[in-house]
Amino acid sequence: MAGFIPKVYQQQVLESIETYFRACHESPSASVAFNVVTEQLWGRGLAYNPLAGFPADMPYFCLRVPTGGGKTWLAAKSVALVNTHLLRSEYGLILWLVPSKAIREQTLKALKNGQHPYALALREAGAVTVLDLDEAKSVTRATLDTSTTVIVATRQAFQVEDEENRKVYESNGALMHHFDGLDATQRAELLNDGEITPCSLANVLRLRRPFVIVDEAHNSRTELAFDTLAKFRPSGMMELTATPDTERTPSNVLHSVSAAELKAEEMIKLPVVLETEGNWQQCLADAIARRNALQQLADDERRRGGAYLRPVMLIQAEPRRQGIETLDVERVRRELIENHRIPADEVVVATGDERGLEDIDSAYAKGIADERCPVKFVITQRALAEGWDCPFAYVLVSMASLSSATAVEQLLGRVLRQPDARHRAAQALNQSYAFVVSRNFAETAGALRDRLVAGAGFERKEAAEFVAAGRSEQGRLDLAAHPERIVVHPVAINLPEKPDLRVITRPIRDKVSWDEKSKTLTITKPLTVEETAELTKTVTSEPARQAIEQAAEVSRTSAIEFFQTPAEAGERFAVPQLTLRMQGELALFDDVEVLEYRWDLSLYDAVPTHDDLLVLGAAFKIAQGGEIDIDAESGRVVQRFMPDLQRDLGLVYQPEHWDAVRLAAWLCRNLPEATITHAAKQAFVSSWLGRLLDQPGFTLARINQQKFLIRNRIEQRIRALHIAAIKTAYQETLFGDGREERVAVDPVHAFVFNPQAYAPVRDYDGRYGVFEFRKHYHGRIGDFDSREEFECACELDKLAQLGKIKYWIRNLVRREGSSFFLQKADGKFYPDFLCALPGDVVLAVEYKGADRWLAAEDDRLIGGVWEEMSGGRCQFVMVKDKRWDWVEARL
């Protein structure tokens, strides 16, 4: 466990959090910060939705992470970011809310286990104390003063309506010392009961301004839940969920992870391969055969040195009903043991009455994943215990169709997780499997996709792609998956007699029509074998029955015309990338740090700038209770939330009384700049501090109080100097004389678009108009930033339909497997579109509005270098004012 390596998307989520926290201090308000950061990250600024009952400028955001994406690890890892970049405090108080007692116990156990990845991630915040709510009711002031304290509780634990929970709001002798020495400002913020101010945990929380982490936030979004949290004066709130609220109390989704990203980074098993079978015993037999086949593959891999794996089947049985024959737990268990000769110890039941999984967890160190554990089949009824996790689960069998949404969502979540978060050699072991007792595949596939969207957090178009038919004949009936890529041709037959369509059900009648004049029966939609049998009952003669059967066979086979995208057809879309010659060999240019440049911090003056002094002075004034209301330059009201927060934290977390040497040592430890030596950093920091202390009004006591803000100012200064040095080297390397010796575009170093990992933050939803894109590399298309960009895409597709372009792709930003970029000195340039041209030539197209044309000079320059150094393999064009002829000129 200690060797846990974060995935790329997880690092990107954490970068988004840090960027937002920094922006909250630098922007007029948290809402402006959210808009600015989402524009910076995703190319489209999103509107901010403040929470009723909370300060309008309280930092509040949501991370959307589908099932299996590691939400709890991200939450633990973010605590250090909260302290450093939001609170700017050595320690903080975290209120970590979970949806149930089972999840609470699981979370507490993991966070208190020093070797668990969650605990290791949390420890990056420094000294940490993890408490349950009962322990928190007697927490000492010393604990809060000397460690980041994480209180893990259920969201219901603070609702005052529950008598047991009222203790949070009542006086507690063990907490009285927290209220010694408070000033008038602090006392004014405490909850009181008439004239009495209770020494309660609730008031301790109000003093300490907890940051709230809400796990599985979709379970907490009620007015009562928000009112409860508002009582504690949070410093901010972060929600983690697979399914954010978008209507009642809309979440501010800062970062959205897609299922395709999780698939690409080996976190989940996709697609879900679905088979339906009307006979329940045959359905179960088919599922057992699939599990056995997976076991054989797993055993083969183990013999070749692979990790241990025992694929587990989860079976959802029907509830038992009095007087009605059902496929209940006992009946399914008898079928497994008596008819399939499965040993009884390989079957475990997990229901409210029989808790077999708890026995397994007690008997084996690794629970059901332990090599000594024999269990291969788990029978449940509605849902498994919350918190139970088993990546070995591969096969889901539903005896009860897909009627119980909660149970199906939960069980799907169990089978999606990839064992050890890495792909297996056999492709079949990188997929999940679902077997459902049903005679209607299309309806079942639709229900399964609905559950992936509503419960697992998939995008609707992702769900369409990631539910696949296990049998080709059933897949042909799955017309709802990609209606835009399927054409169904009607099948007309002449019959010697008029069919009596009144005797068939409405769903079948809607698929056929009868023309009395021509004596023609027309089948307009594919008919299943079962539907065909029903339709033949409408005629009496054998020739008529045979004609219907033959026509129905055509309706579900050759009458269905499928359109495949280039990705589905197996086309490889590779784009040559910029490389630099390093020590005689070409290396991918994907980081400016590979450039050779002079970077010596000692060459620069270590002096606080005028802006530094203004920022430190304004923050100090607020901390002392002063007022700053209007920004003289912009006329905007200056936010109060962040300065007030810094004031409140300064009152409860008393600054250390360090001398200049110790302060400099602390700053050096907390400046993560790997490109400079410790000696250079120490010299710069010491000189900067010395110059600051020379300024009027700046004392050691004040600097101790402002050390986090000072750390940020020094970090910004060093970063600015570093970027300036890089820009000089970048300019010389890519645009200086003799660059042909240093720069190349090499097809060996090509970016290859992953055919299964296209993951837009948002799919295009038709808001700029409707166009039938036929030549996009994927079935999905990422959203456009403007109407002109959409029109550019339409023009590319028209040119592709004329044969001038083979296919094209809407390039994405910061998406693993879906994002081609050109490295710039201060970031990365992601062209809007990449086009595959005849002759293995790639064209990059960027559309820029007239208002952004001048600011895009760097993009044009690096695009030109990429084209020039490619030897004709790559072309680049930047378009404005709808000059589509500029694109055609490159074809």
Side-chain angles (χ1 to χ4, degrees):
M1 282 189 174
F4 180 82
I5 300 175
K7 303 291 186 178
V8 172
Y9 77 87
Q10 292 172 326
Q11 295 285 23
Q12 291 177 341
V13 170
L14 296 170
E15 289 169 8
S16 296
I17 295 172
E18 179 179 335
T19 302
Y20 178 59
F21 285 163
R22 288 180 181 274
C24 284
H25 286 280
E26 297 164 1
S27 303
S29 68
S31 59
V32 173
F34 184 80
N35 182 268
V36 168
V37 170
T38 50
E39 167 76 25
Q40 176 185 336
L41 294 175
W42 314 115
R44 179 181 174 187
L46 302 179
Y48 183 83
N49 302 295
L51 275 176
F54 293 81
D57 51 355
M58 180 190 79
Y60 156 60
F61 63 97
C62 175
L63 305 177
R64 176 186 171 274
V65 184
T67 296
K71 290 187 287 292
T72 307
W73 183 86
L74 286 169
K77 190 83 170 177
S78 68
V79 171
L81 301 178
V82 171
N83 286 353
T84 301
H85 300 292
L86 180 69
L87 305 183
R88 292 177 172 173
S89 175
E90 191 84 21
Y91 308 114
L93 178 59
I94 306 295
L95 189 56
W96 187 312
L97 301 182
V98 296
S100 68
K101 292 180 180 179
I103 298 294
R104 179 192 65 195
E105 294 308 309
Q106 182 189 51
T107 304
L108 281 165
K109 182 179 179 181
L111 293 180
K112 289 185 175 185
N113 175 1
Q115 297 307 308
H116 195 284
Y118 298 169
L120 293 172
L122 184 61
R123 200 167 298 159
E124 293 195 13
V128 175
T129 303
V130 179
L131 306 174
D132 63 24
L133 191 56
D134 285 338
E135 293 169 328
K137 291 172 185 174
S138 58
V139 65
T140 66
R141 188 169 184 169
T143 297
L144 297 179
D145 285 345
T146 59
S147 67
T148 291
T149 304
V150 180
I151 302 174
V152 182
T154 64
R155 67 181 190 279
Q156 301 91 344
F158 296 98
Q159 294 177 0
V160 72
E161 290 75 12
D162 189 310
E163 184 173 351
E164 177 63 25
N165 297 341
R166 289 177 194 163
K167 293 179 181 178
V168 171
Y169 303 91
E170 296 173 352
S171 276
N172 181 341
L175 299 175
M176 290 181 64
H177 64 293
H178 289 273
F179 302 92
D180 295 339
L182 300 185
D183 67 12
T185 303
Q186 291 173 296
R187 290 195 174 277
E189 296 293 351
L190 300 180
L191 297 172
N192 60 73
D193 184 8
E195 297 181 359
I196 300 174
T197 300
C199 298
S200 63
L201 178 59
N203 273 333
V204 172
L205 294 175
R206 288 180 68 83
L207 284 173
R208 296 281 173 165
R209 306 295 303 271
F211 184 85
V212 180
I213 294 174
V214 187
D215 193 10
E216 302 294 351
H218 58 280
N219 291 319
S220 306
R221 304 189 64 76
T222 65
E223 291 180 10
L224 178 60
F226 285 129
D227 288 346
T228 299
L229 296 177
K231 293 177 181 177
F232 306 135
R233 300 178 69 221
S235 57
M237 186 186 305
M238 177 177 74
E239 300 177 321
L240 298 102
T241 179
T243 53
D245 187 354
T246 58
E247 297 178 1
R248 186 177 177 184
T249 51
S251 297
N252 296 317
V253 180
L254 175 70
H255 194 117
S256 181
V257 178
S258 72
E261 285 181 280
L262 301 188
K263 166 70 174 175
E265 298 219 47
E266 306 179 4
M267 292 292 285
I268 55 178
K269 307 189 290 283
L270 287 174
V272 180
V273 180
L274 172 66
E275 293 188 33
T276 59
E277 169 57 54
N279 181 294
W280 75 273
Q281 290 174 307
Q282 184 60 52
C283 183
L284 187 59
D286 292 343
I288 292 170
R290 172 65 70 180
R291 198 219 70 83
N292 292 342
L294 294 174
Q295 185 68 70
Q296 183 63 50
L297 291 172
D299 292 344
D300 290 345
E301 286 196 14
R302 186 71 190 281
R303 284 189 288 270
R304 294 194 297 269
Y308 172 74
L309 174 63
R310 176 178 15 90
V312 171
M313 181 190 298
L314 305 182
I315 306 172
Q316 181 195 8
E318 292 182 323
R320 180 180 297 177
R321 298 174 186 171
Q322 191 69 31
I324 300 177
E325 186 175 319
T326 58
L327 300 174
D328 56 41
V329 170
E330 283 308 314
R331 194 171 182 193
V332 172
R333 176 155 47 186
R334 286 198 307 272
E335 179 71 14
L336 290 173
I337 295 173
E338 295 175 9
N339 289 349
H340 291 278
R341 298 289 188 268
I342 291 170
D345 64 348
E346 294 184 4
V347 181
V348 68
V349 173
T351 63
D353 298 327
E354 192 171 344
R355 302 178 180 274
L357 287 177
E358 293 181 10
D359 296 337
I360 295 295
D361 289 339
S362 300
Y364 302 101
K366 297 181 179 179
I368 201 168
D370 198 293
E371 290 193 38
R372 297 171 299 147
C373 178
V375 173
K376 297 174 182 174
F377 302 87
V378 177
I379 309 173
T380 186
Q381 186 171 288
R382 286 191 172 84
L384 296 169
E386 285 189 290
W388 183 79
D389 193 22
C390 179
F392 280 11
Y394 265 80
V395 182
L396 166 63
V397 182
S398 179
M399 297 286 143
S401 188
L402 296 181
S403 55
S404 174
T406 302
V408 172
E409 287 166 10
Q410 193 205 58
L411 292 172
L412 267 175
R414 309 297 194 212
V415 301
L416 286 177
R417 288 175 173 82
Q418 180 79 41
D420 302 319
R422 62 171 178 263
H423 280 166
R424 314 288 294 204
Q427 181 56 31
L429 293 174
N430 299 323
Q431 302 175 155
S432 306
Y433 300 87
F435 292 80
V436 181
V437 178
S438 169
R439 295 188 181 279
N440 192 322
F441 178 87
E443 181 181 281
T444 304
L448 184 58
R449 292 186 179 103
D450 289 343
R451 302 278 59 83
L452 287 172
V453 172
F458 283 37
E459 294 286 355
R460 176 63 61 180
K461 292 191 176 181
E462 283 183 327
E465 293 183 0
F466 288 142
V467 174
R471 305 178 197 164
S472 59
E473 65 271 20
Q474 291 186 337
R476 299 189 71 84
L477 301 176
D478 189 18
L479 304 183
H482 300 287
E484 73 284 0
R485 304 209 302 257
I486 298 176
V487 177
V488 179
H489 300 285
V491 180
I493 51 169
N494 293 317
L495 293 180
E497 59 180 291
K498 179 182 178 179
D500 185 3
L501 300 181
R502 296 171 301 173
V503 303
I504 57 177
T505 59
R506 180 65 179 271
I508 302 176
R509 196 159 61 243
D510 289 344
K511 293 184 177 183
V512 298
S513 63
W514 171 256
D515 186 280
E516 181 64 32
K517 185 176 181 180
S518 62
K519 305 294 183 184
T520 301
L521 178 72
T522 302
I523 303 173
T524 56
K525 295 180 181 178
L527 292 172
T528 66
V529 174
E530 292 81 9
E531 290 171 333
T532 303
E534 287 294 312
L535 185 59
T536 58
K537 295 176 182 177
T538 64
V539 295
T540 58
S541 67
E542 186 60 28
R545 281 196 291 268
Q546 290 180 359
I548 289 174
E549 289 173 350
Q550 292 171 1
E553 175 70 18
V554 172
S555 78
R556 58 179 175 265
T557 53
S558 57
I560 304 174
E561 183 181 349
F562 290 89
F563 162 70
Q564 277 192 315
T565 65
E568 292 169 335
E571 290 279 356
R572 184 175 183 268
F573 196 173
V575 182
Q577 295 177 286
L578 268 176
T579 61
L580 298 179
R581 194 170 299 281
M582 311 289 292
Q583 297 179 344
E585 295 185 358
L586 292 177
L588 180 63
F589 181 38
D590 60 351
D591 188 344
V592 290
E593 288 300 331
V594 303
L595 295 172
E596 293 183 4
Y597 61 97
R598 188 179 185 187
W599 172 225
D600 185 351
L601 199 57
S602 66
L603 299 176
Y604 302 94
D605 290 334
V607 182
T609 65
H610 179 66
D611 284 346
D612 292 333
L613 298 177
L614 286 178
V615 170
L616 291 168
F620 186 69
K621 184 178 180 182
I622 290 294
Q624 300 305 305
E627 294 291 334
I628 295 180
D629 295 319
I630 302 294
D631 180 77
E633 186 174 326
S634 66
R636 291 182 302 195
V637 175
V638 176
Q639 68 155 319
R640 292 288 314 174
F641 186 88
M642 296 307 298
D644 285 352
L645 173 62
Q646 295 299 136
R647 179 202 63 201
D648 291 344
L649 294 174
L651 290 172
V652 291
Y653 292 101
Q654 293 297 321
E656 296 85 351
H657 299 292
W658 291 344
D659 60 19
V661 174
R662 194 169 177 189
L663 270 170
W666 181 89
L667 287 167
C668 287
R669 284 199 313 273
N670 287 274
L671 284 169
E673 180 54 69
T675 63
I676 54 179
T677 65
H678 179 74
K681 188 192 302 183
Q682 191 172 42
F684 187 90
V685 168
S686 297
S687 176
W688 198 97
L689 274 181
R691 296 291 189 90
L692 182 63
L693 285 168
D694 291 339
Q695 299 294 322
F698 283 90
T699 64
L700 272 174
R702 175 176 170 181
I703 292 176
N704 270 282
Q705 185 176 340
Q706 291 191 295
K707 67 176 183 287
F708 275 88
L709 181 54
I710 289 171
R711 187 205 74 85
N712 288 349
R713 299 304 299 183
I714 296 177
E715 182 184 36
Q716 289 175 18
R717 174 62 174 157
I718 293 176
R719 185 186 303 144
L721 295 172
H722 187 199
I723 290 173
I726 286 173
K727 283 185 175 180
T728 300
Y730 177 86
Q731 196 69 24
E732 292 174 353
T733 302
L734 276 83
F735 302 98
D737 294 337
R739 69 177 177 191
E740 293 79 6
E741 301 298 321
R742 301 185 297 270
V743 184
V745 173
D746 182 16
V748 174
H749 294 83
F751 176 82
V752 180
F753 282 96
N754 189 324
Q756 293 184 325
Y758 190 71
V761 175
R762 299 172 306 276
D763 289 277
Y764 178 61
D765 58 7
R767 61 197 172 102
Y768 296 127
V770 177
F771 185 88
E772 188 176 354
F773 292 107
R774 304 293 292 179
K775 293 293 186 177
H776 192 255
Y777 184 66
H778 291 280
R780 301 174 66 190
I781 298 180
D783 200 6
F784 304 105
D785 297 330
S786 66
R787 180 177 297 279
E788 290 80 6
E789 208 172 81
F790 162 71
E791 292 174 3
C792 184
C794 296
E795 292 299 320
L796 294 177
D797 207 80
K798 291 174 186 176
L799 291 169
Q801 292 183 42
L802 293 173
K804 296 182 178 181
I805 295 174
K806 290 168 62 180
Y807 46 83
W808 60 280
I809 192 168
R810 171 71 165 104
N811 194 34
L812 304 181
V813 176
R814 298 173 76 234
R815 291 299 204 186
E816 189 75 6
S818 308
S819 304
F820 168 81
F821 65 85
L822 296 172
Q823 183 68 50
K824 300 195 299 180
D826 56 355
K828 292 175 169 58
F829 167 44
Y830 299 86
D832 291 330
F833 309 102
L834 279 304
C835 308
L837 307 184
D840 292 329
V841 175
V842 176
L843 169 66
V845 180
E846 172 75 6
Y847 190 87
K848 274 287 181 281
D851 59 328
R852 297 188 176 190
W853 184 261
L854 292 178
E857 179 66 18
D858 286 352
D859 297 344
R860 287 193 293 277
L861 287 173
I862 192 62
V865 170
W866 177 67
E867 175 178 336
E868 182 180 338
M869 306 308 294
S870 72
R873 291 186 296 269
C874 305
Q875 297 188 42
F876 173 79
V877 60
M878 185 178 286
V879 182
K880 68 174 181 176
D881 299 330
K882 302 184 182 181
R883 293 298 304 270
W884 314 132
D885 56 309
W886 292 1
V887 176
E888 288 197 65
R890 296 304 189 115
L891 305 181

